[in-house]
Amino acid sequence: MPTADAGESWKRLRSWLRRRIDQMAADDYSRLPPSFASDDGRVASEAYSTVLIAMEVIEGRRTTPGRTRNPADGRSHATIPGPP
């Protein structure tokens, strides 16, 4: 797949996920499978939100909780909490 198509697909996926999350927030479960709609869309909403977060991590716009990014080399590392 050419890069331009991959980028467009990425944007379309992000848009689709956001639309579905917005629909569930407005109590519209018409496009969800019955197994996802039965709990008022909580599982689906969490799953879709998780995918959006994963996309941000892949893009480098977000690091995982408890991790920081070293600006010098771009690597992320876990922070070790100090004494209270």
Side-chain angles (χ1 to χ4, degrees), residues 18-41:
R18 287 185 176 147
R19 281 194 316 269
R20 295 302 171 260
I21 291 169
D22 291 344
Q23 286 173 336
M24 288 181 280
D27 294 330
D28 177 4
Y29 310 110
S30 61
R31 294 181 182 243
L32 289 177
S35 60
F36 272 11
S38 64
D39 69 347
D40 295 331

Side-chain angles (χ1 to χ4, degrees), residues 48-70:
Y48 295 169
S49 295
T50 300
V51 172
L52 284 173
I53 291 168
M55 290 172 74
E56 290 176 3
V57 169
I58 290 168
E59 294 167 337
R61 295 188 304 140
R62 180 188 290 239
T63 58
T64 55
R67 298 183 74 80
T68 57
R69 188 170 298 275
N70 181 342

